[in-house]
C-alpha cells in the first residue's frame, strides 16, 4: 500500500527555535504549508521547556545538549556559529541533513552554499558533508540580482554599501535599539545601552559589523566577497563592500555600483530585473517611488529602485535594494532550500 504524503514528509528540527530567525522559520512553515511529519523545537538549556505554537499545536522546546537527532530527517540550525560548529556534525552523524544559517560551513568545499533562485542545481543530491549552508543576509539579495546581470553583460566589479538593521543581531539587537532610542530621547546627553552595538545604535550609524580582519575589512565584508564568488561560480568576481549598521528595526538595504564588460541599456536592465522570480522593481522617478525598509512591500521579495546607468560610463549603473533580512536573508532562503530538496526527492 503506498505511503500517504504525511507519512513520507520529513521529520524536522528547528535548532534556535526561540530566536529571531527560528520564530520566523515557524511563521514561514505555517504560511507556506511546508509538509512535515513531525516537528521538534530545540534551543539552549536556558530556553528548554518553553511552549511555542506551530500550526495551532503547542510544542515544548527541547534542550539541544540532550536532543536525539536520529529522530529527524532535516535539521535547521539558526543558533549561532559556535553552536553549529559543535552540534551540526553530530546531527549529521546521527542521520539528519542540516540546513545551517551561520557562517560555520559556508566556505567548506564539501558544503554547498545555496540560493535556490541562483544555484538550485547544488540541491540535486545530498552533499558529502551532510550540510547545506545558508548565505549571509546581505549576500542573498545581492547575488539574486548579480546572476542575470553576469549572464547578460558580464560583471567587472561590484562596489556595495550595506545598511543593515538591528534585527541582524536577533531579538537582543532589536530590544537594545528600542531601549537606547528611548533613553536618548528622554536624556540626549545620557548613557544609552551599547552592548549589542558599540557605540550605541540609537540615532547613529556604525560602519563596522562583525570582527576586524588584518586586511582592515570586517568579516561581514569578507563574507560578501567570498560567498558571492562561490554561489555564482565566478571565482575571480571583484566585489568590495562597506557594511554599516543603521537604526532600523528590520530589513537591510544596499547601494550597489556594478560595472559590466559591455554597455548596459537601462530599459533592458529594468526588464531583466523585473523578470526575476520574487523581485519587485520600483521604477518611478518620484518621492516614494523607491523602496525603503518601512515601505517596500512584500517581505518575500527583493525590492529594487534608483536604477541609474551612469552617463559618463554606460557600462556602469547603480541599484538600490531592500529586503527583509529575517525572511529573504535567512529563514525564507532556508525554507526554499528545504522545498527544493523535497521536490527533488533528496529528503
Amino acid at each position: 500500500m503506498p505511503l500517504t504524503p504525511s507519512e513520507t514528509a520529513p521529520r524536522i528540527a528547528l535548532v534556535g527555535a526561540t530566536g529571531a530567525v527560528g520564530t520566523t522559520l515557524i511563521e514561514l512553515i505555517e504560511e507556506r504549508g511546508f509538509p512535515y511529519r513531525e516537528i521538534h523545537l530545540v534551543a539552549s538549556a536556558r530556553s528548554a521547556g518553553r511552549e511555542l505554537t506551530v500550526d495551532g499545536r503547542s510544542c515544548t522546546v527541547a534542550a539541544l545538549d540532550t536532543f536525539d537527532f536520529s529522530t529527524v530527517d532535516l535539521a535547521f540550525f539558526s543558533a549561532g556559529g559556535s553552536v553549529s560548529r559543535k552540534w551540526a556534525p553530530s546531527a549529521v552523524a546521527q542521520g539528519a541533513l542540516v540546513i545551517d544559517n551561520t557562517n560555520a560551513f559556508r566556505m567548506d568545499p564539501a558544503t554547498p552554499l545555496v540560493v535556490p533562485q541562483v544555484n538550485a542545481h547544488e540541491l540535486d543530491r545530498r552533499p558529502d558533508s551532510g550540510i547545506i549552508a545558508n548565505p549571509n543576509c546581505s549576500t542573498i539579495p545581492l547575488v539574486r540580482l548579480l546572476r542575470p546581470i553576469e549572464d547578460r553583460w558580464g560583471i567587472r566589479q561590484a562596489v556595495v554599501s550595506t545598511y543593515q538593521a538591528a534585527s541582524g543581531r536577533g531579538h537582543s539587537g532589536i530590544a537594545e535599539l528600542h531601549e537606547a532610542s528611548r533613553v536618548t530621547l528622554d536624556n540626549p546627553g545620557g548613557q544609552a545601552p551599547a552592548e549589542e552595538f558599540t557605540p550605541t545604535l540609537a540615532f547613529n550609524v556604525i560602519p563596522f559589523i562583525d570582527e576586524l580582519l588584518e586586511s582592515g575589512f570586517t568579516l561581514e565584508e569578507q563574507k560578501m566577497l567570498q560567498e558571492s564568488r562561490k554561489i555564482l561560480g565566478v571565482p575571480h568576481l571583484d566585489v568590495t563592500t562597506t557594511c554599516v549598521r543603521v537604526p532600523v528595526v528590520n530589513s537591510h538595504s544596499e547601494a550597489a555600483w556594478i560595472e559590466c564588460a559591455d554597455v548596459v541599456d537601462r530599459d533592458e536592465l529594468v526588464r531583466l530585473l523585473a523578470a526575476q522570480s520574487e523581485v519587485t522593481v520600483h521604477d518611478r522617478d518620484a518621492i516614494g517611488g523607491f523602496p525603503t525598509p518601512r515601505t517596500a512591500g512584500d517581505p518575500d521579495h527583493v525590492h529594487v529602485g534608483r536604477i541609474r546607468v551612469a552617463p559618463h560610463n554606460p557600462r556602469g549603473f547603480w541599484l538600490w535594494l531592500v529586503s527583509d533580512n529575517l525572511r529573504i536573508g535567512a529563514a525564507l532562503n532556508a525554507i526554499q532550500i528545504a522545498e527544493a530538496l523535497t521536490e527533488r526527492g533528496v529528503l
Side-chain angles (χ1 to χ4, degrees):
M1 185 176 180
L3 296 174
T4 64
S6 62
E7 292 174 310
T8 58
R11 302 165 298 169
I12 63 176
L14 308 184
V15 179
T18 60
V21 175
T23 54
T24 305
L25 272 168
I26 293 172
E27 292 173 7
L28 285 165
I29 286 169
E30 295 174 330
E31 290 175 18
R32 298 174 73 86
F34 180 76
Y36 60 86
R37 192 178 355 153
E38 299 174 10
I39 187 165
H40 301 268
L41 307 184
V42 185
S44 66
R46 184 179 65 253
S47 297
R50 285 181 57 182
E51 295 288 327
L52 298 178
T53 301
V54 184
D55 284 322
R57 296 187 299 275
S58 182
C59 297
T60 303
V61 177
L64 174 58
D65 57 3
T66 57
F67 185 73
D68 180 5
F69 284 98
S70 69
T71 63
V72 300
D73 307 298
L74 176 67
F76 296 91
F77 272 72
S78 303
S82 60
V83 172
S84 289
R85 279 186 285 272
K86 180 176 180 180
W87 293 103
S90 176
V92 171
Q94 294 176 65
L97 177 62
V98 169
I99 298 176
D100 184 56
N101 194 52
T102 77
N103 190 43
F105 306 101
R106 289 175 185 159
M107 301 315 298
D108 172 20
T111 298
L113 182 64
V114 177
V115 176
Q117 295 86 350
V118 178
N119 60 339
H121 63 274
E122 296 281 4
L123 304 174
D124 289 340
R125 66 178 185 88
R126 190 182 182 95
D128 293 339
S129 66
I131 300 170
I132 298 164
N134 212 29
N136 178 271
C137 49
S138 293
T139 302
I140 291 170
L142 179 66
V143 297
R144 285 177 56 175
L145 303 183
L146 292 184
R147 174 78 281 166
I149 293 167
E150 166 66 17
D151 291 344
R152 173 62 183 87
W153 292 289
I155 297 172
R156 284 183 173 175
Q157 183 184 53
V159 180
V160 184
S161 294
T162 72
Y163 305 83
Q164 297 180 222
S167 59
R169 292 287 295 171
H171 290 315
S172 59
I174 296 172
E176 182 172 291
L177 175 60
H178 283 157
E179 175 63 12
S181 299
R182 185 192 63 77
V183 168
T184 303
L185 285 170
D186 288 346
N187 180 11
Q191 188 69 35
E195 294 181 10
E196 295 291 337
F197 309 109
T198 305
T200 184
L201 188 57
F203 305 98
N204 200 11
V205 296
I206 305 171
F208 191 95
I209 300 176
D210 216 320
E211 64 185 90
L212 183 65
L213 306 177
E214 289 186 4
S215 64
F217 286 81
T218 66
L219 181 58
E220 186 82 354
E221 292 158 351
Q222 179 174 284
K223 289 176 195 173
M224 291 189 68
L225 168 64
Q226 293 177 326
E227 294 176 21
S228 297
R229 287 175 169 180
K230 183 174 180 178
I231 296 164
L232 294 168
V234 183
H236 302 296
L237 183 69
D238 185 359
V239 176
T240 187
T241 310
T242 298
C243 291
V244 183
R245 191 75 70 184
V246 295
V248 168
V249 172
N250 191 52
S251 288
H252 292 351
S253 304
E254 302 178 34
W257 163 259
I258 300 165
E259 188 168 357
C260 294
D262 203 355
V263 171
V264 175
D265 177 77
R266 185 186 183 279
D267 289 341
E268 183 181 359
L269 173 61
V270 170
R271 290 194 301 270
L272 181 70
L273 295 176
Q276 302 310 303
S277 174
E278 298 167 353
V279 170
T280 297
V281 173
H282 301 247
D283 193 33
R284 289 192 298 119
D285 261 342
I287 299 298
F290 45 81
T292 73
R294 291 189 64 168
T295 64
D298 191 333
D300 294 341
H301 279 212
V302 177
H303 296 267
V304 190
R306 301 294 320 280
I307 301 171
R308 293 153 286 155
V309 175
H312 66 282
N313 178 9
R315 289 182 173 84
F317 57 90
W318 282 99
L319 301 176
W320 170 257
L321 53 146
V322 175
S323 63
D324 187 315
N325 52 290
L326 292 180
R327 292 174 75 99
I328 284 177
L332 178 60
N333 198 74
I335 286 290
Q336 290 179 324
I337 289 172
E339 290 171 342
L341 291 168
T342 301
E343 290 167 4
R344 287 162 167 76
V346 177
L347 277 178

